[in-house]
Amino acid sequence: QLQLQESGPGLVKPSETLSLTCTVSGGSISSNNYYWGWLRQPPGKGLEWVGSISYSGDTYYSPSLKSRVTISLDTSKNQFSLKLSSVTAADTAVYFCAAYARRSLDYWGLGTLVTVSS
Amino acid sequence: DIQMTQSPSSLSASVGDRVTITCRASQSISSYLNWYQQKPGKAPKLLIYAASSLQSGVPPRFSGSGSGADFTLTISSLQPEDFATYYCQQSNSLPITFGQGTRLEIK
């Protein structure tokens, strides 16, 4: 049973870079059984896919965020990470990491609230 | 991008009721449709994958149907723990997109 946990700063200043890490337990991020992804949910709103990375490092990003997003793997720590640059208040959201198995988001982290404010 | 539209946006129902939520895609997505339940302050939970397959551990009162562009989630007999927000999500093509959510409230 996979478990995922997000970590990172809860407050980021406008124009800076948001950085989050997802630590995976109960399975290897190098396993070809899963893809890994980030999603977000602004307060009181719906879910938005940010991007994904395969076990081999292929990345896929939301077109609306593509110019600002980087997702990467750290196989030595069994983690994957999100970087979102040039943040504004519109990037304030709960950020979730998740794992896909059969084209569905089978496992989710608890989520972490990131607020963009000076 | 494929647009996903859920209806209704909110719904009031009573324990024991049968409830149906609809999701429509802006183009055919075959059966690449998943349903999630989200409670306040929690992560979404996968209920149904591939339009009609019940995720392990999910009670059988939940069912999904449909293919192409039109899908439904049915709860056969509402239980108190089912009051939550429900989202559909297409995985036919990137970018992954979600419906806007259906908030299911107690009448």
Coordinates of all heavy atoms in Angstrom, one line a residue, chain B residues 1-88:
Chain B
D1 N -8.0 21.0 -24.8 CA -8.3 20.3 -23.5 C -9.7 19.8 -23.6 O -10.6 20.4 -24.1 CB -8.2 21.3 -22.3 CG -6.8 21.9 -22.2 OD1 -5.9 21.7 -23.0 OD2 -6.6 22.6 -21.2
I2 N -9.9 18.7 -22.9 CA -11.3 18.1 -22.8 C -12.0 18.7 -21.6 O -11.4 18.7 -20.5 CB -11.2 16.6 -22.6 CG1 -10.6 16.0 -23.9 CG2 -12.6 16.0 -22.4 CD1 -10.3 14.5 -23.8
Q3 N -13.1 19.3 -21.8 CA -13.9 19.9 -20.7 C -14.8 18.9 -20.1 O -15.5 18.2 -20.9 CB -14.7 21.1 -21.3 CG -13.9 22.1 -22.0 CD -12.7 22.7 -21.2 OE1 -12.9 23.0 -20.0 NE2 -11.5 22.8 -21.8
M4 N -14.9 18.9 -18.8 CA -15.8 18.0 -18.1 C -16.8 18.8 -17.4 O -16.5 19.7 -16.6 CB -15.0 17.1 -17.1 CG -13.8 16.4 -17.7 SD -14.3 15.2 -19.0 CE -15.2 14.0 -18.0
T5 N -18.1 18.4 -17.6 CA -19.2 19.2 -17.0 C -20.1 18.2 -16.1 O -20.6 17.2 -16.6 CB -20.1 19.8 -18.1 OG1 -19.2 20.7 -18.9 CG2 -21.2 20.7 -17.4
Q6 N -20.2 18.5 -14.9 CA -21.0 17.7 -13.9 C -22.3 18.4 -13.7 O -22.4 19.6 -13.7 CB -20.3 17.6 -12.6 CG -19.1 16.6 -12.6 CD -18.4 16.5 -11.3 OE1 -17.2 16.7 -11.1 NE2 -19.2 16.1 -10.2
S7 N -23.3 17.6 -13.5 CA -24.6 18.1 -13.0 C -25.2 17.1 -12.1 O -25.1 15.9 -12.2 CB -25.5 18.4 -14.2 OG -25.7 17.2 -14.9
P8 N -25.9 17.6 -11.0 CA -26.0 19.0 -10.7 C -24.7 19.5 -10.0 O -23.9 18.7 -9.7 CB -27.2 19.1 -9.8 CG -27.2 17.8 -9.1 CD -26.7 16.8 -10.1
S9 N -24.6 20.8 -9.8 CA -23.5 21.3 -9.0 C -23.6 21.1 -7.5 O -22.6 20.9 -6.8 CB -23.3 22.8 -9.3 OG -23.0 23.1 -10.6
S10 N -24.9 21.0 -7.1 CA -25.2 20.7 -5.7 C -26.5 19.9 -5.6 O -27.3 20.0 -6.5 CB -25.2 21.9 -4.8 OG -26.3 22.8 -5.2
L11 N -26.6 19.2 -4.6 CA -27.7 18.3 -4.5 C -28.0 18.0 -3.0 O -27.1 17.8 -2.2 CB -27.4 16.9 -5.2 CG -28.3 15.7 -5.1 CD1 -29.6 16.1 -5.7 CD2 -27.6 14.6 -5.8
S12 N -29.3 18.1 -2.6 CA -29.7 17.8 -1.3 C -30.5 16.5 -1.3 O -31.4 16.3 -2.1 CB -30.6 18.9 -0.7 OG -29.9 20.1 -0.5
A13 N -30.1 15.6 -0.4 CA -30.8 14.3 -0.4 C -30.8 13.8 1.1 O -30.1 14.3 2.0 CB -30.1 13.3 -1.3
S14 N -31.6 12.8 1.3 CA -31.8 12.2 2.6 C -31.1 10.8 2.7 O -30.9 10.1 1.7 CB -33.2 12.0 3.0 OG -33.9 13.3 2.9
V15 N -30.8 10.4 3.9 CA -30.2 9.0 4.1 C -31.2 8.0 3.5 O -32.4 8.1 3.8 CB -30.0 8.8 5.6 CG1 -29.6 7.3 5.9 CG2 -28.9 9.7 6.1
G16 N -30.7 7.1 2.8 CA -31.5 6.1 2.2 C -31.9 6.4 0.7 O -32.4 5.5 0.0
D17 N -31.8 7.6 0.3 CA -32.1 8.0 -1.1 C -31.2 7.4 -2.1 O -30.0 7.1 -1.8 CB -32.1 9.5 -1.3 CG -33.3 10.3 -0.6 OD1 -34.2 9.6 -0.2 OD2 -33.2 11.5 -0.6
R18 N -31.7 7.3 -3.3 CA -30.9 6.9 -4.5 C -30.5 8.2 -5.2 O -31.4 9.0 -5.5 CB -31.6 6.0 -5.4 CG -30.9 5.5 -6.6 CD -31.8 4.7 -7.5 NE -31.1 4.2 -8.7 CZ -30.4 3.1 -8.8 NH1 -30.3 2.3 -7.8 NH2 -29.9 2.7 -10.0
V19 N -29.2 8.3 -5.4 CA -28.7 9.6 -6.0 C -27.9 9.3 -7.3 O -27.1 8.3 -7.3 CB -27.8 10.3 -5.0 CG1 -27.0 11.4 -5.6 CG2 -28.7 10.9 -3.9
T20 N -28.1 10.1 -8.3 CA -27.3 10.0 -9.5 C -26.7 11.3 -9.9 O -27.3 12.4 -9.8 CB -28.2 9.5 -10.7 OG1 -28.7 8.3 -10.4 CG2 -27.4 9.5 -12.0
I21 N -25.4 11.3 -10.2 CA -24.6 12.5 -10.6 C -24.2 12.2 -12.0 O -23.7 11.1 -12.4 CB -23.4 12.7 -9.7 CG1 -23.9 13.0 -8.3 CG2 -22.6 13.9 -10.2 CD1 -22.8 13.0 -7.2
T22 N -24.3 13.2 -12.9 CA -23.9 13.0 -14.3 C -22.6 13.8 -14.6 O -22.4 14.9 -14.1 CB -25.1 13.6 -15.1 OG1 -26.2 12.8 -14.9 CG2 -24.7 13.5 -16.6
C23 N -21.9 13.3 -15.5 CA -20.6 13.9 -16.0 C -20.6 13.8 -17.5 O -20.8 12.7 -18.1 CB -19.4 13.2 -15.4 SG -17.8 13.9 -15.9
R24 N -20.4 14.9 -18.2 CA -20.4 14.9 -19.6 C -19.0 15.5 -20.1 O -18.6 16.5 -19.6 CB -21.5 15.7 -20.2 CG -21.4 15.9 -21.7 CD -22.8 16.4 -22.3 NE -23.8 15.4 -22.2 CZ -25.0 15.5 -22.6 NH1 -25.4 16.7 -23.0 NH2 -25.9 14.5 -22.6
A25 N -18.4 14.8 -21.0 CA -17.1 15.2 -21.6 C -17.4 16.0 -22.9 O -18.4 15.7 -23.6 CB -16.2 14.0 -21.9
S26 N -16.5 16.9 -23.2 CA -16.7 17.7 -24.4 C -16.4 16.9 -25.7 O -16.7 17.4 -26.8 CB -15.8 19.0 -24.4 OG -14.4 18.6 -24.2
Q27 N -15.8 15.8 -25.6 CA -15.6 14.8 -26.7 C -15.5 13.4 -26.1 O -15.4 13.3 -24.9 CB -14.3 15.2 -27.5 CG -13.0 15.0 -26.7 CD -11.8 15.6 -27.4 OE1 -11.6 16.8 -27.5 NE2 -11.0 14.7 -27.9
S28 N -15.5 12.5 -27.0 CA -15.5 11.1 -26.5 C -14.2 10.8 -25.8 O -13.1 11.1 -26.2 CB -15.6 10.1 -27.7 OG -15.5 8.8 -27.3
I29 N -14.3 10.1 -24.6 CA -13.2 9.7 -23.9 C -13.2 8.2 -23.6 O -12.6 7.7 -22.7 CB -13.1 10.5 -22.5 CG1 -14.4 10.3 -21.7 CG2 -12.8 12.0 -22.7 CD1 -14.3 10.8 -20.3
S30 N -13.9 7.5 -24.5 CA -14.0 6.0 -24.3 C -14.5 5.7 -22.9 O -15.6 6.3 -22.5 CB -12.7 5.4 -24.6 OG -12.8 4.0 -24.6
S31 N -13.8 4.9 -22.2 CA -14.2 4.6 -20.8 C -13.2 5.2 -19.8 O -13.1 4.7 -18.6 CB -14.4 3.1 -20.6 OG -15.5 2.7 -21.3
Y32 N -12.4 6.2 -20.2 CA -11.3 6.7 -19.4 C -11.9 7.8 -18.4 O -11.5 9.0 -18.5 CB -10.2 7.2 -20.2 CG -9.5 6.1 -21.0 CD1 -9.5 6.1 -22.4 CD2 -8.8 5.1 -20.3 CE1 -8.9 5.1 -23.1 CE2 -8.2 4.1 -21.0 CZ -8.2 4.1 -22.4 OH -7.6 3.1 -23.0
L33 N -12.8 7.3 -17.5 CA -13.4 8.3 -16.6 C -13.4 7.7 -15.2 O -13.7 6.5 -15.0 CB -14.9 8.4 -17.1 CG -15.8 9.5 -16.4 CD1 -16.3 9.1 -15.1 CD2 -15.1 10.9 -16.4
N34 N -13.0 8.5 -14.3 CA -12.8 8.1 -12.9 C -13.7 9.1 -12.0 O -13.9 10.2 -12.4 CB -11.4 8.2 -12.4 CG -10.5 7.5 -13.4 OD1 -10.7 6.3 -13.7 ND2 -9.4 8.2 -13.9
W35 N -14.1 8.5 -10.9 CA -14.9 9.3 -9.9 C -14.2 9.3 -8.6 O -13.7 8.3 -8.1 CB -16.3 8.7 -9.7 CG -17.2 8.8 -10.9 CD1 -17.5 7.9 -11.8 CD2 -18.1 9.9 -11.2 NE1 -18.4 8.3 -12.7 CE2 -18.8 9.6 -12.3 CE3 -18.3 11.2 -10.6 CZ2 -19.7 10.5 -12.9 CZ3 -19.2 12.0 -11.1 CH2 -19.9 11.7 -12.3
Y36 N -14.2 10.5 -7.9 CA -13.6 10.7 -6.6 C -14.6 11.3 -5.6 O -15.5 12.0 -6.0 CB -12.4 11.6 -6.7 CG -11.3 11.1 -7.7 CD1 -11.4 11.4 -9.0 CD2 -10.3 10.3 -7.2 CE1 -10.5 10.9 -9.9 CE2 -9.3 9.9 -8.1 CZ -9.4 10.1 -9.5 OH -8.5 9.7 -10.3
Q37 N -14.4 11.0 -4.4 CA -15.1 11.6 -3.3 C -14.2 12.4 -2.5 O -13.1 11.9 -2.1 CB -15.7 10.5 -2.4 CG -16.5 10.9 -1.2 CD -16.8 9.8 -0.2 OE1 -15.8 9.2 0.4 NE2 -18.0 9.4 0.0
Q38 N -14.6 13.6 -2.1 CA -13.7 14.4 -1.2 C -14.5 15.0 -0.1 O -15.6 15.6 -0.3 CB -13.1 15.6 -2.0 CG -12.0 16.3 -1.2 CD -11.4 17.4 -2.0 OE1 -12.0 18.1 -2.9 NE2 -10.1 17.7 -1.6
K39 N -14.0 14.8 1.1 CA -14.6 15.4 2.3 C -13.8 16.6 2.7 O -12.6 16.7 2.4 CB -14.7 14.3 3.4 CG -15.6 13.2 3.0 CD -15.8 12.2 4.1 CE -16.8 11.1 3.6 NZ -17.0 10.0 4.7
P40 N -14.4 17.5 3.4 CA -13.7 18.8 3.8 C -12.4 18.5 4.5 O -12.3 17.7 5.4 CB -14.7 19.5 4.7 CG -16.0 19.0 4.3 CD -15.8 17.5 3.9
G41 N -11.3 19.2 4.0 CA -10.0 19.1 4.6 C -9.3 17.8 4.3 O -8.2 17.5 4.9
K42 N -9.8 17.0 3.4 CA -9.2 15.7 3.1 C -8.8 15.6 1.6 O -9.3 16.4 0.8 CB -10.2 14.5 3.4 CG -10.6 14.5 4.9 CD -9.5 14.1 5.8 CE -10.0 13.9 7.2 NZ -8.9 13.6 8.1
A43 N -8.0 14.6 1.3 CA -7.6 14.4 -0.1 C -8.8 13.7 -0.8 O -9.6 12.9 -0.1 CB -6.4 13.6 -0.2
P44 N -8.9 13.8 -2.1 CA -9.9 13.0 -2.8 C -9.6 11.5 -2.7 O -8.4 11.1 -2.5 CB -9.7 13.5 -4.2 CG -9.1 14.8 -4.1 CD -8.2 14.8 -2.9
K45 N -10.7 10.7 -2.7 CA -10.5 9.3 -2.6 C -11.1 8.7 -3.9 O -12.3 9.0 -4.3 CB -11.3 8.8 -1.4 CG -11.5 7.3 -1.3 CD -12.4 6.9 -0.1 CE -12.7 5.5 -0.1 NZ -13.7 5.1 1.0
L46 N -10.4 7.8 -4.5 CA -10.9 7.1 -5.8 C -12.0 6.2 -5.4 O -11.9 5.3 -4.6 CB -9.7 6.4 -6.4 CG -10.1 5.6 -7.7 CD1 -10.5 6.5 -8.8 CD2 -8.9 4.7 -8.1
L47 N -13.1 6.3 -6.1 CA -14.3 5.4 -5.9 C -14.4 4.5 -7.1 O -14.6 3.3 -6.9 CB -15.6 6.3 -5.8 CG -15.7 7.3 -4.7 CD1 -17.1 8.0 -4.9 CD2 -15.7 6.6 -3.4
I48 N -14.4 5.0 -8.3 CA -14.7 4.3 -9.5 C -13.6 4.6 -10.5 O -13.3 5.8 -10.7 CB -16.1 4.7 -10.1 CG1 -17.2 4.4 -9.1 CG2 -16.3 3.9 -11.5 CD1 -17.6 3.0 -8.9
Y49 N -13.0 3.6 -11.2 CA -12.1 3.9 -12.3 C -12.6 3.2 -13.6 O -13.4 2.2 -13.5 CB -10.7 3.4 -11.9 CG -10.5 1.9 -11.7 CD1 -10.1 1.1 -12.7 CD2 -10.8 1.4 -10.4 CE1 -10.0 -0.3 -12.5 CE2 -10.7 0.0 -10.2 CZ -10.3 -0.8 -11.2 OH -10.2 -2.2 -11.0
A50 N -12.1 3.6 -14.7 CA -12.5 3.1 -16.0 C -14.0 3.1 -16.1 O -14.6 2.1 -16.6 CB -11.9 1.7 -16.2
A51 N -14.7 4.1 -15.7 CA -16.1 4.3 -15.8 C -17.0 3.5 -14.9 O -18.0 4.0 -14.4 CB -16.6 4.2 -17.2
S52 N -16.6 2.2 -14.7 CA -17.6 1.3 -14.0 C -16.9 0.3 -13.0 O -17.6 -0.5 -12.4 CB -18.4 0.5 -15.0 OG -17.6 -0.2 -15.8
S53 N -15.6 0.4 -12.9 CA -14.9 -0.5 -12.0 C -14.8 0.1 -10.6 O -14.3 1.2 -10.4 CB -13.5 -0.8 -12.5 OG -13.6 -1.5 -13.8
L54 N -15.2 -0.7 -9.6 CA -15.3 -0.3 -8.2 C -13.9 -0.4 -7.6 O -13.3 -1.5 -7.6 CB -16.3 -1.1 -7.4 CG -16.7 -0.6 -6.1 CD1 -17.4 0.7 -6.1 CD2 -17.5 -1.7 -5.4
Q55 N -13.3 0.6 -7.1 CA -12.0 0.6 -6.4 C -12.1 -0.4 -5.2 O -13.2 -0.4 -4.5 CB -11.6 2.0 -6.0 CG -10.3 2.0 -5.2 CD -9.0 1.7 -5.9 OE1 -9.1 1.1 -6.9 NE2 -7.9 2.2 -5.4
S56 N -11.1 -1.1 -4.9 CA -11.0 -2.0 -3.8 C -11.4 -1.2 -2.5 O -10.9 -0.1 -2.2 CB -9.6 -2.6 -3.7 OG -9.5 -3.4 -2.5
G57 N -12.3 -1.8 -1.7 CA -12.6 -1.3 -0.4 C -13.8 -0.3 -0.5 O -14.3 0.1 0.6
V58 N -14.3 0.1 -1.6 CA -15.4 1.0 -1.8 C -16.7 0.2 -1.7 O -16.8 -0.8 -2.4 CB -15.3 1.8 -3.1 CG1 -16.5 2.6 -3.3 CG2 -14.0 2.6 -3.1
P59 N -17.6 0.7 -0.9 CA -18.9 -0.1 -0.8 C -19.6 -0.2 -2.1 O -19.6 0.7 -2.9 CB -19.7 0.8 0.2 CG -18.7 1.6 0.9 CD -17.6 1.9 0.0
P60 N -20.3 -1.4 -2.3 CA -21.0 -1.6 -3.5 C -22.2 -0.8 -3.8 O -22.8 -0.9 -4.9 CB -21.3 -3.1 -3.4 CG -21.4 -3.4 -2.0 CD -20.3 -2.5 -1.4
R61 N -22.6 0.1 -2.8 CA -23.7 1.0 -3.1 C -23.3 2.1 -4.1 O -24.1 2.7 -4.7 CB -24.2 1.7 -1.8 CG -23.2 2.5 -1.1 CD -23.9 3.1 0.1 NE -22.9 4.0 0.9 CZ -22.1 3.5 1.8 NH1 -22.1 2.2 2.1 NH2 -21.3 4.4 2.4
F62 N -22.0 2.2 -4.4 CA -21.5 3.1 -5.4 C -21.3 2.3 -6.7 O -20.8 1.2 -6.7 CB -20.1 3.7 -5.0 CG -20.1 4.6 -3.9 CD1 -19.9 4.1 -2.6 CD2 -20.3 6.0 -4.0 CE1 -20.0 5.0 -1.5 CE2 -20.4 6.9 -3.0 CZ -20.2 6.4 -1.7
S63 N -21.8 2.9 -7.8 CA -21.6 2.3 -9.1 C -21.5 3.4 -10.1 O -21.9 4.5 -10.0 CB -22.8 1.4 -9.4 OG -24.0 2.1 -9.5
G64 N -20.8 3.0 -11.2 CA -20.6 4.0 -12.3 C -21.0 3.3 -13.6 O -20.9 2.1 -13.8
S65 N -21.4 4.2 -14.6 CA -21.7 3.6 -15.9 C -21.5 4.7 -16.9 O -21.2 5.9 -16.6 CB -23.2 3.2 -15.9 OG -24.1 4.4 -15.8
G66 N -21.5 4.3 -18.2 CA -21.3 5.2 -19.3 C -20.1 4.9 -20.1 O -19.2 4.1 -19.7
S67 N -20.1 5.5 -21.3 CA -18.9 5.4 -22.2 C -19.1 6.5 -23.2 O -20.2 7.0 -23.4 CB -18.8 4.0 -22.8 OG -19.8 3.8 -23.7
G68 N -18.0 6.8 -23.9 CA -18.1 7.9 -24.9 C -17.9 9.2 -24.2 O -16.9 9.6 -23.8
A69 N -19.1 9.9 -24.1 CA -19.0 11.3 -23.5 C -19.9 11.4 -22.3 O -19.9 12.5 -21.7 CB -19.4 12.3 -24.6
D70 N -20.8 10.5 -22.0 CA -21.8 10.6 -21.0 C -21.6 9.5 -19.9 O -21.6 8.3 -20.3 CB -23.2 10.6 -21.5 CG -23.5 11.8 -22.4 OD1 -23.3 12.9 -21.9 OD2 -23.8 11.7 -23.6
F71 N -21.5 10.0 -18.7 CA -21.3 9.0 -17.6 C -22.1 9.4 -16.4 O -22.6 10.5 -16.2 CB -19.8 9.2 -17.1 CG -18.9 8.9 -18.3 CD1 -18.5 9.9 -19.2 CD2 -18.4 7.6 -18.5 CE1 -17.6 9.6 -20.2 CE2 -17.5 7.3 -19.5 CZ -17.1 8.3 -20.4
T72 N -22.4 8.4 -15.5 CA -23.1 8.6 -14.3 C -22.5 7.9 -13.1 O -21.9 6.8 -13.3 CB -24.6 8.1 -14.4 OG1 -24.6 6.8 -14.7 CG2 -25.3 8.9 -15.5
L73 N -22.6 8.5 -12.0 CA -22.2 7.9 -10.7 C -23.5 7.8 -9.9 O -24.3 8.7 -9.8 CB -21.3 8.8 -9.9 CG -21.0 8.3 -8.5 CD1 -20.1 7.1 -8.4 CD2 -20.2 9.5 -7.7
T74 N -23.8 6.6 -9.4 CA -25.0 6.3 -8.7 C -24.7 5.8 -7.3 O -23.8 5.0 -7.1 CB -25.9 5.3 -9.4 OG1 -26.3 5.8 -10.7 CG2 -27.2 5.0 -8.6
I75 N -25.3 6.4 -6.3 CA -25.3 5.9 -4.9 C -26.6 5.3 -4.6 O -27.6 6.0 -4.6 CB -24.9 6.9 -3.9 CG1 -23.7 7.7 -4.4 CG2 -24.6 6.3 -2.5 CD1 -23.3 9.0 -3.6
S76 N -26.7 4.0 -4.4 CA -28.0 3.3 -4.4 C -28.8 3.6 -3.1 O -30.0 3.7 -3.2 CB -27.8 1.8 -4.5 OG -27.0 1.3 -3.4
S77 N -28.1 3.8 -2.0 CA -28.8 4.1 -0.7 C -27.9 4.9 0.1 O -27.0 4.4 0.7 CB -29.2 2.8 0.0 OG -29.9 3.1 1.2
L78 N -28.1 6.2 0.1 CA -27.2 7.2 0.8 C -27.0 6.8 2.3 O -28.0 6.6 3.0 CB -27.7 8.6 0.7 CG -27.3 9.4 -0.6 CD1 -28.0 10.7 -0.6 CD2 -25.8 9.6 -0.7
Q79 N -25.8 6.9 2.7 CA -25.4 6.7 4.1 C -24.9 8.0 4.6 O -24.4 8.9 3.8 CB -24.4 5.6 4.2 CG -24.9 4.2 3.8 CD -26.1 3.8 4.5 OE1 -26.1 3.7 5.8 NE2 -27.2 3.6 3.8
P80 N -24.9 8.2 5.9 CA -24.4 9.5 6.5 C -23.0 9.9 6.0 O -22.7 11.1 5.8 CB -24.5 9.3 8.0 CG -25.6 8.2 8.2 CD -25.4 7.3 7.0
E81 N -22.2 8.9 5.9 CA -20.8 9.2 5.5 C -20.6 9.5 4.0 O -19.5 9.9 3.6 CB -19.9 8.0 5.9 CG -20.2 6.7 5.2 CD -21.2 5.8 6.0 OE1 -22.0 6.4 6.8 OE2 -21.1 4.6 5.8
D82 N -21.7 9.5 3.2 CA -21.6 9.8 1.8 C -21.7 11.2 1.5 O -21.5 11.6 0.3 CB -22.6 9.0 1.0 CG -22.5 7.5 1.2 OD1 -21.4 7.0 1.5 OD2 -23.5 6.8 1.0
F83 N -22.1 12.0 2.5 CA -22.3 13.5 2.2 C -20.9 14.1 2.1 O -20.1 14.1 3.0 CB -23.1 14.1 3.3 CG -24.5 13.6 3.2 CD1 -24.9 12.5 4.0 CD2 -25.4 14.2 2.3 CE1 -26.2 12.0 3.9 CE2 -26.7 13.7 2.3 CZ -27.1 12.6 3.0
A84 N -20.6 14.6 0.8 CA -19.3 15.0 0.4 C -19.4 15.6 -0.9 O -20.5 15.8 -1.5 CB -18.3 13.8 0.3
T85 N -18.2 16.0 -1.5 CA -18.2 16.5 -2.9 C -17.6 15.4 -3.8 O -16.7 14.8 -3.4 CB -17.4 17.8 -2.9 OG1 -17.9 18.8 -2.1 CG2 -17.3 18.3 -4.4
Y86 N -18.2 15.3 -4.9 CA -17.8 14.2 -5.9 C -17.3 14.9 -7.2 O -17.9 15.9 -7.7 CB -19.0 13.3 -6.2 CG -19.4 12.5 -5.0 CD1 -20.3 13.1 -4.0 CD2 -18.9 11.2 -4.8 CE1 -20.6 12.3 -2.9 CE2 -19.2 10.5 -3.6 CZ -20.1 11.1 -2.7 OH -20.4 10.4 -1.6
Y87 N -16.2 14.3 -7.7 CA -15.6 14.9 -8.9 C -15.4 13.7 -9.9 O -15.0 12.6 -9.6 CB -14.2 15.4 -8.6 CG -14.1 16.6 -7.8 CD1 -14.0 16.6 -6.4 CD2 -14.2 17.9 -8.3 CE1 -13.9 17.7 -5.6 CE2 -14.2 19.1 -7.5 CZ -14.0 18.9 -6.2 OH -14.0 20.1 -5.4
C88 N -15.7 14.0 -11.2 CA -15.3 13.2 -12.3 C -14.0 13.7 -12.8 O -13.7 14.8 -12.7 CB -16.4 13.0 -13.3 SG -16.8 14.6 -14.2

